[in-house]
Amino acid sequence: MTLLRSPQILQIVRFALVGVVNTGTFYGFYLTLHPWMPYFLAYTVAFVLSMIGSFFLNTFFTYRTRPTWRKFLLFPLTNLTNYVVTSVGVYVFVEWVHMNDKIAPLIAAAAAIPFTYVLSRRILTRGGTGGSGADAEAGDADDAEQSPHLAPSTRR
């Protein structure tokens, strides 16, 4: 098996693709909301909305596991570090560095990427073992029983 085809590398590539989509979604929400509210409130609302989309993209596409209520409720914890790092970054870039408030969120988000990957993998794959999907789904059996509405079968 070549390095480029290893499950870990493919998972990181999928995570990066979801990150690009999520960043675009976040930025679109941010730009849409910014004219009607202060930049930091627009940033926070856009962050929450994009985080919900990120949860579903990461469960189905990145880690190939089932979304459950338990994971949905824990997923914001994976973004807590992201939120703190990017929030401080946005504030520092806008208020201290005098960076354009439309660009600052993109720059601040780059610093949080490694933390978000590690934490989301740990929560969404129940301990960070998340392989190709079958392994991750096997660990979700107890969650699926507790939350049938968010745990449709993802087997192909």
Side-chain angles (χ1 to χ4, degrees):
M1 175 182 296
T2 66
L3 180 63
L4 292 177
R5 291 184 183 244
S6 76
Q8 181 78 22
I9 297 297
L10 293 174
Q11 190 176 75
I12 291 170
V13 169
R14 289 191 306 264
F15 181 81
L17 291 172
V18 168
V20 168
V21 169
N22 190 54
T23 300
T25 301
F26 158 76
Y27 197 53
F29 281 134
Y30 177 74
L31 291 177
T32 301
L33 296 170
H34 188 282
W36 292 289
M37 57 185 69
Y39 77 89
F40 200 77
L41 181 59
Y43 165 80
T44 301
V45 172
F47 188 92
V48 169
L49 292 173
S50 66
M51 185 173 57
I52 293 168
S54 178
F55 169 76
F56 288 105
L57 288 172
N58 276 304
T59 54
F60 286 119
F61 181 68
T62 302
Y63 303 111
R64 301 190 178 185
T65 186
R66 293 179 182 183
T68 64
W69 282 111
R70 180 179 186 273
K71 290 177 186 179
F72 184 75
L73 294 174
L74 288 174
F75 190 72
L77 296 176
T78 69
N79 286 291
L80 182 59
T81 299
N82 183 328
Y83 184 77
V84 169
V85 170
T86 58
S87 296
V88 168
V90 166
Y91 182 81
V92 167
F93 289 141
V94 172
E95 300 298 330
W96 295 356
V97 180
H98 304 291
M99 183 180 287
N100 182 301
D101 61 11
K102 290 179 176 62
I103 301 298
L106 295 175
I107 304 301
I113 292 169
F115 299 105
T116 304
Y117 174 76
V118 169
L119 294 173
S120 67
R121 179 181 163 118
R122 177 160 294 274
I123 284 181
L124 296 179
T125 63
R126 309 245 348 215
T129 58
S132 62
D135 296 332
E137 285 183 23
D140 293 333
D142 60 328
D143 289 336
E145 290 173 15
Q146 295 173 8
S147 56
H149 298 292
L150 261 186
S153 176
T154 57
R155 294 188 189 271
R156 292 182 172 95

